[in-house]
Amino acid sequence: MTKLTGMKIYILRTWYTLVLALRLNTAEDFQWTKNNPSSFYYGTFPTGFSWGVGSSAYQTEGAWDVDGKGPSIWDAFTHAKGKVFRNETGDSACDGYYKVQDDIQLLKELKVNHYLLSISWPRIMPTGIKTELNEKGIQFYNDTINSLLESSIIPIVSLYHWDLPQVLQEKYGGWQNISMINYFNDYANLCFEKFGDRVKHWITFSNPWAVAEKGYETGEHAPGLKLGGCGAYKAAHHIIKTHAKVWHSYNNTWRSEQQGMVGISLTSGWGEPIDPHSQADIDAAERYMQFHLGWFANPIYRGDYPEVMKNYVGRRSAQQGLGTSRLPTFSVQEKSYIKGTSDFLGIGHFTTRYVTQKSFPFLQVSSYCTDQDLAELVDPKWPAPGSKWLYSVPWGFRRLLNFIKTQYGNPLVYVTENGVSEKVQCTQLCDEWRIEYLKGYINEILKALNDGVNVRGYTAWSLLDKFEWNKGFSERFGFYHVDFKNKNKPRYPKASVNYYKNIISANGFPNPREVENWHQKAMDTCSITHQLLDADSLVTHMEMVTEIVLPTIFTLCILISIVLLLFFLQNHS
Ligand SMILES: *[C@@H]1O[C@H](CO)[C@@H](O)[C@H](O)[C@H]1NC(C)=O
Ligand SMILES: *[C@@H]1O[C@H](CO)[C@@H](O)[C@H](O)[C@H]1NC(C)=O
Ligand SMILES: *[C@@H]1O[C@H](CO)[C@@H](O)[C@H](O)[C@H]1NC(C)=O
Ligand SMILES: *[C@@H]1O[C@H](CO)[C@@H](O)[C@H](O)[C@H]1NC(C)=O
């Protein structure tokens, strides 16, 4: 999971009445009348629609240096203090490495059809290169995949959810170096060889936007480099080429035998023009979409970076007196090599922004952010229960899905990430905000299906509360609450577990009465679970008493006895 942008967000205190007014005015002539935010569409999903949940290796596994795993850039980043909220790390996270069976029980409880997980590259290749393999790591993923299949849960496997082997970063500069293409391709081929007989859904990269922008431009994420204006473009360029190479490897070497699919998972918000009658704002919103989603999707589906991106970065580079654009270019051969290299498009989506045209004063300092000439705005009326960037705006999802349909030739889509966080300090299992969010967003997918968008699966993000990158453990995205303070890392179901389970078993939203009933039942069960959790905390407390306090008292008693004994002996000698 990730933030959508490092750009400053303007909250419209005075403008928002205007925003609402605009929305009311245009409600009549929306091409999609059902897109009225208050309307709800009852109905079911197509048969065979796949329901799932996701997670990622670094955020959940822990065991960062166990059984031969090599360090990743996230191990290095979190261990260098001062980068993450409260200096927290993923060293143990949810202890998922030791709890595969427990977590599969949770998946069975949810009755999901698929589980999206990622493989940690340095767990199976400690230094990132194919001459050094870690058999125990390979065994771990092999067993995990087998256990999922035994439970009739389809594994969707991402090869990269951000944990690059640290050695490749240190020695070669990570994604700044074109040689990553071959290292990653070797790693991907190993995964196809070892697991491809059973894994049929592969994701090359999860949210490469964040890898490039947060990792190499703002430095908020590992490896923490601040190469403003160039770093992100270069990293993305190499990632896109790597993705294409891996797709071709699969197509040429493995597809005929394994019959699987290879795609990429792109995360993007929806950008809506603040004033739908202003051409400048419409253009700015279009740029927002092209700089986020189009940056990666356009080369893969249409063979090159979006025109508007080339124009804007090119123009600004020229203003800065640079001989060439900071946005790299693909050769003719590369364009045709990259075009068409995705069997499905994975989509991560969390939130929406209003967008307006904004010219930045000419700056010597260049950045991905100012290259776009736009400002992002939010409506303060939008609910934002958790992460401060994550506003719940369900209608944006339908628009995003329709944008994908028209821009990229109606590709096969799997929703790979969608969910909401909470930021509460004390345990809160009655997550009504998550129920509302899921209900709204999943309903917009149903509407999009009726618009003819080709969505085949939905992955809620995420199974567990987990390490949330630079936010540490302070933002919780899980269906299951994890008590990180307890060394056993117990998991407790939130109310949304019950609700999502009902959506899955009904394959949609059958009728108002039933859907209302789910809500009621979910809220009832969570208050019961809450009482159990309180009882458990008491047990943990008691355990602490027996483990720490009692031995201490015992030791003290012995010491006192010895002193008394010595005293006694002395007096009698
Ligand atoms: C994190 O580590 C840095 C550097 O050691 C230290 O200055 C800072 O106080 C630490 N923060 C917390 C919350 O412990
Ligand atoms: C992985 O599991 C499959 C299926 O059980 C088995 O055939 C294969 O030998 C295993 N591979 C490894 C490396 O354990
Ligand atoms: C890129 O990686 C190669 C090794 O594959 C290395 O020889 C080269 O020095 C690296 N380039 C940079 C700029 O680090
Ligand atoms: C994919 O592989 C098939 C079978 O080998 C081949 O015919 C086809 O040309 C390949 N596609 C691309 C785009 O290379």
Side-chain angles (χ1 to χ4, degrees):
M1 231 301 319
T2 70
K3 260 136 296 103
L4 277 154
T5 177
M7 186 173 288
K8 190 163 169 142
I9 298 159
Y10 297 84
I11 301 202
L12 290 185
R13 297 256 170 245
T14 49
W15 279 49
Y16 98 88
T17 19
L18 165 71
V19 173
L20 293 183
L22 286 170
R23 297 209 58 79
L24 288 177
N25 279 342
T26 51
E28 285 303 308
D29 58 354
F30 268 168
Q31 310 94 304
W32 9 18
T33 46
K34 288 192 202 86
N35 214 14
N36 173 349
S38 61
S39 83
F40 194 84
Y41 186 85
Y42 289 93
T44 52
F45 283 73
T47 348
F49 188 86
S50 191
W51 298 97
V53 282
S55 74
S56 84
Y58 184 73
Q59 293 180 282
T60 55
E61 282 176 6
W64 77 279
D65 62 348
V66 170
D67 288 345
K69 177 182 168 293
S72 77
I73 53 173
W74 272 94
D75 293 315
F77 187 73
T78 55
H79 294 168
K81 304 223 184 281
K83 309 281 190 185
V84 175
F85 179 73
R86 290 189 184 150
N87 294 330
E88 287 167 337
T89 75
D91 289 2
S92 59
C94 308
D95 273 338
Y97 188 71
Y98 306 103
K99 288 179 170 282
V100 174
Q101 295 310 324
D102 298 6
D103 290 341
I104 289 179
Q105 279 309 313
L106 305 182
L107 296 170
K108 285 163 90 166
E109 160 83 19
L110 274 164
K111 295 207 167 62
V112 288
N113 308 112
H114 70 258
Y115 179 51
L116 194 159
L117 71 155
S118 79
I119 292 178
S120 162
W121 183 355
R123 196 179 287 290
I124 67 174
M125 288 182 169
T127 59
I129 56 173
K130 67 175 172 189
T131 46
E132 274 177 64
L133 300 185
N134 179 26
E135 292 302 333
K136 281 191 173 159
I138 296 172
Q139 188 79 49
F140 169 72
Y141 292 112
N142 208 50
D143 293 348
T144 302
I145 290 161
N146 289 339
S147 301
L148 286 167
L149 290 169
E150 277 158 25
S151 304
S152 306
I153 298 164
I154 294 168
I156 297 185
V157 178
S158 168
L159 294 171
Y160 193 84
H161 206 123
W162 310 359
D163 41 2
L164 182 78
Q166 171 64 8
V167 173
L168 296 181
Q169 184 63 47
E170 258 170 39
K171 274 191 168 167
Y172 309 131
W175 291 109
Q176 293 300 296
N177 191 318
I178 186 123
S179 67
M180 287 309 108
I181 299 182
N182 288 328
Y183 295 124
F184 190 91
N185 188 52
D186 290 343
Y187 157 62
N189 274 286
L190 177 77
C191 293
F192 298 150
E193 179 197 328
K194 298 285 181 189
F195 316 127
D197 57 334
R198 284 151 294 140
V199 174
K200 304 300 169 192
H201 300 76
W202 294 100
I203 291 166
T204 53
F205 291 90
S206 291
N207 195 354
W209 180 91
V211 175
E213 214 268 340
K214 305 276 171 202
Y216 296 88
E217 170 99 12
T218 67
E220 285 170 89
H221 284 183
L225 298 177
K226 297 189 174 80
L227 309 170
C230 294
Y233 295 133
K234 203 169 183 183
H237 200 66
H238 295 152
I239 288 172
I240 293 164
K241 286 187 181 182
T242 306
H243 163 81
K245 173 125 189 177
V246 169
W247 185 89
H248 281 283
S249 288
Y250 191 84
N251 192 56
N252 296 336
T253 314
W254 307 101
R255 189 190 297 283
S256 60
E257 188 190 324
Q258 298 185 347
Q259 301 286 320
M261 293 197 288
V262 176
I264 191 165
S265 172
L266 304 178
T267 297
S268 178
W270 171 249
E272 178 80 4
I274 180 106
D275 175 357
H277 302 297
S278 147
Q279 193 57 42
D281 288 349
I282 294 170
D283 292 346
E286 170 77 13
R287 280 201 300 284
Y288 176 91
M289 292 313 300
Q290 298 298 355
F291 267 84
H292 286 79
L293 184 61
W295 187 5
F296 297 90
N298 222 72
I300 292 170
Y301 284 95
R302 301 168 68 153
D304 199 1
Y305 290 120
E307 282 304 314
V308 71
M309 215 179 157
K310 292 195 288 187
N311 291 343
Y312 272 67
V313 185
R315 195 196 52 182
R316 207 167 262 276
S317 303
Q319 284 171 354
Q320 292 169 317
L322 300 173
T324 52
S325 174
R326 285 180 279 103
L327 184 69
T329 52
F330 295 115
S331 70
V332 175
Q333 290 90 334
E334 284 169 345
K335 285 178 191 172
S336 69
Y337 183 77
I338 293 166
K339 187 177 174 183
T341 56
S342 214
D343 303 319
F344 66 90
L345 179 60
I347 284 294
H349 175 68
F350 294 89
T351 193
T352 282
R353 293 284 181 265
Y354 282 118
V355 181
T356 186
Q357 148 73 33
K358 177 177 172 25
S359 297
F360 289 89
F362 176 72
L363 295 167
Q364 225 27 64
V365 191
S366 56
S367 81
Y368 161 81
C369 176
T370 51
D371 281 343
Q372 302 175 46
D373 272 10
L374 57 84
E376 300 175 24
L377 311 111
V378 294
D379 182 340
K381 282 275 161 67
W382 291 341
S387 314
K388 73 171 190 288
W389 56 272
L390 209 175
Y391 293 81
S392 175
V393 194
W395 55 261
F397 204 1
R398 182 182 181 189
R399 297 188 165 215
L400 172 68
L401 291 169
N402 275 276
F403 177 86
I404 289 163
K405 176 183 165 215
T406 48
Q407 290 273 317
Y408 311 122
N410 203 13
L412 172 60
V413 170
Y414 279 88
V415 175
T416 42
E417 292 184 25
N418 175 245
V420 70
S421 60
E422 68 247 357
K423 230 175 170 160
V424 288
Q425 291 302 313
C426 48
T427 310
Q428 177 52 274
L429 299 180
C430 298
D431 55 346
E432 208 164 3
W433 51 86
R434 185 168 288 104
I435 288 176
E436 287 306 314
Y437 182 100
L438 291 173
K439 182 183 173 195
Y441 275 75
I442 293 174
N443 200 245
E444 294 298 316
I445 302 174
L446 189 55
K447 294 178 190 171
L449 277 162
N450 285 321
D451 299 332
V453 174
N454 189 10
V455 189
R456 195 177 289 175
Y458 173 81
T459 314
W461 196 258
S462 59
L463 177 64
L464 303 173
D465 289 342
K466 55 195 175 349
F467 180 78
E468 205 49 49
W469 312 110
N470 56 329
K471 298 295 190 297
F473 295 100
S474 66
E475 295 178 7
R476 294 170 174 268
F477 276 86
F479 277 110
Y480 288 86
H481 173 89
V482 177
D483 182 1
F484 294 106
K485 292 203 182 87
N486 182 324
K487 69 175 180 357
N488 297 322
K489 310 285 168 83
R491 285 91 157 112
Y492 301 93
K494 301 178 192 174
S496 50
V497 166
N498 220 286
Y499 196 83
Y500 188 41
K501 233 163 84 171
N502 283 315
I503 297 179
I504 295 174
S505 71
N507 198 31
F509 306 95
N511 59 64
R513 197 173 43 81
E514 215 168 313
V515 173
E516 184 45 44
N517 206 9
W518 296 345
H519 185 273
Q520 194 52 49
K521 280 212 184 112
M523 296 314 285
D524 289 349
T525 50
C526 74
S527 51
I528 298 167
T529 325
H530 224 297
Q531 287 162 14
L532 290 175
L533 173 63
D534 290 344
D536 273 13
S537 313
L538 200 63
V539 172
T540 320
H541 193 73
M542 296 299 283
E543 272 171 11
M544 202 181 77
V545 169
T546 43
E547 278 173 25
I548 301 167
V549 181
L550 289 188
T552 316
I553 292 175
F554 189 65
T555 319
L556 273 177
C557 287
I558 292 176
L559 284 173
I560 292 168
S561 317
I562 293 173
V563 170
L564 285 177
L565 188 68
L566 287 175
F567 189 69
F568 179 80
L569 289 176
Q570 215 163 30
N571 277 354
H572 281 257
S573 58

